Amino acid sequence: MRTPPTHRLTPLAAALLLACGAEAPTDADRSAVEPRFNSSAGPEWSAPENLGPVVNSPALDQNPAVLADELTLYFQSDRPGGIGGVDIWVTRRASRHSPWEPPVNLGPPVNTPFADGAPSLSPDGHLLFIHSDRPGGLGLFDIWVAHRSGSKDEEAWETPVNLGTDVNTTDDEQGPEYVTSDGGGALYFNRGNQTLSQSDLYRAGVKRDGRTDGPAQPITELNAQGFNDAAPTLRADAREILFWSQRPGGLGGIDIWVSTRQSANHPWSRPENAGPPLNTTVNDLHPELTQDARTLFFSSNRPGSIANSTDLWMATRHASSKR
């Protein structure tokens, strides 16, 4: 796998490279762990569909984020035509049944000559969270937030602001996900060096205007020591979370895992592997739930991906499935 043309390897590409390296779980590790999904109950999700060559490219297309109306999809890519090595791109469609249009670069001030990725949108479309290693941060990759006065595509994003010491440290902070139904607003993300398998999931209170509300705390019941846990996405009611992990018990180098809870005040259940057809023997990561939790966008380099690279895929939840 090639390295994206940036001054340092992006955390997402590093995660994919790591999955093929010596620090990933071995076959022996996996065989010693009982997979935590019930295949006899039948798949919860439909067979994933590739978003196609209009959206995907031979480059790394990753980290999808969709607006609440599901008509606008943000993602990150290192395809040609960007401002930096990795940029945020946007594709749109006229209706949920219409085809996606060719992606366009989001442009400045959100994109810079540095690595800008992992977009996450607030439900009202007024906030855009990203991670970036642009100047002005506290360490390596930090989480930043951009505002706009409305939610229409033609309304420009303001210059992103660093979220500060409640969220960011001298380490890597990546993969933000914002949910309003958790304590008045919360940001979920991962912190730690993915190359050393030290990436854990964290939560910080973040108000609806993007201001933080106290230091971030690790989500201990979801993290697996010695393995990467990253890129969370939450159901709108904050009672279901999906994320990618390299922990034992999976099907491939990187799998999507899921956990639930009774309410935002309860602890998360023991994570379970999402199982097939979401997960395969290759890399399946960067899940993104829609507001109604019926559709899941994610990244994968499974067969059917363009040029054996990482593409954006989509699956729908069966109507009979309940969590």
Side-chain angles (χ1 to χ4, degrees), residues 67-69 121-127 151 178-181 208 236 291:
L67 276 174
D69 61 9
L121 294 142
S122 61
D124 62 9
H126 292 181
L127 301 177
S151 59
Y178 181 67
V179 59
T180 57
S181 59
R208 292 174 186 260
Q291 282 290 294

Side-chain angles (χ1 to χ4, degrees), residues 47-60:
E49 299 178 5
N50 189 291
L51 292 195
V54 172
V55 175
N56 289 311
S57 72
L60 294 172

Side-chain angles (χ1 to χ4, degrees), residues 70-72 91-101 297:
E70 299 181 34
L71 302 183
T72 303
T91 178
R92 300 176 177 91
R93 59 184 177 181
S95 72
R96 295 188 186 186
H97 303 291
S98 300
W100 292 103
E101 301 171 0
F297 295 90

Side-chain angles (χ1 to χ4, degrees), residues 8-252:
R8 69 186 288 257
L9 190 66
T10 70
L12 303 176
L16 291 172
L17 291 171
L18 176 59
C20 301
E23 294 186 61
T26 66
D27 290 339
D29 290 333
R30 293 194 184 96
S31 64
V33 178
E34 184 70 21
R36 300 176 197 146
F37 61 86
N38 183 5
S39 58
S40 64
E44 181 178 5
W45 296 92
S46 68
E49 299 178 5
N50 189 291
L51 292 195
V54 172
V55 175
N56 289 311
S57 72
L60 294 172
D61 302 309
Q62 306 172 318
N63 276 111
V66 64
L67 276 174
D69 61 9
E70 299 181 34
L71 302 183
T72 303
L73 182 72
Y74 288 58
F75 64 97
Q76 76 165 53
S77 180
D78 64 347
R79 64 183 62 193
I83 296 174
V86 176
D87 278 357
I88 296 171
W89 294 72
V90 185
T91 178
R92 300 176 177 91
R93 59 184 177 181
S95 72
R96 295 188 186 186
H97 303 291
S98 300
W100 292 103
E101 301 171 0
V104 296
N105 191 286
L106 189 57
V110 175
N111 288 325
T112 68
F114 297 85
D116 307 297
S120 176
L121 294 142
S122 61
D124 62 9
H126 292 181
L127 301 177
L128 172 64
F129 296 88
I130 64 171
H131 70 219
S132 178
D133 63 349
R134 67 185 64 194
L138 300 180
L140 304 174
F141 276 80
D142 277 3
I143 296 176
W144 302 68
V145 61
H147 299 73
R148 63 181 177 184
S149 57
S151 59
K152 302 298 182 182
D153 287 340
E154 62 269 16
E155 292 175 300
W157 291 104
E158 299 173 1
T159 300
V161 176
N162 190 286
L163 281 185
T165 56
D166 279 350
V167 169
N168 295 313
T169 66
T170 56
D171 210 337
D172 278 318
E173 281 78 32
Q174 308 157 359
E177 168 80 350
Y178 181 67
V179 59
T180 57
S181 59
D182 186 333
L187 186 77
Y188 288 74
F189 63 97
N190 53 279
R191 173 187 291 166
N193 190 315
Q194 292 182 7
T195 304
L196 300 178
S197 295
Q198 295 175 345
S199 179
D200 285 336
L201 297 174
Y202 279 73
R203 177 198 176 279
V206 174
K207 302 178 185 295
R208 292 174 186 260
D209 60 2
R211 292 182 298 155
T212 58
D213 187 23
Q217 300 296 325
I219 312 172
T220 55
E221 66 266 31
L222 296 181
N223 294 319
Q225 186 175 4
F227 299 93
N228 287 325
D229 302 299
T233 183
L234 280 83
R235 200 166 65 197
D237 63 5
R239 294 172 57 192
E240 180 184 25
I241 186 170
L242 291 89
F243 59 96
W244 70 252
S245 180
Q246 295 165 296
R247 65 183 66 196
L251 303 180

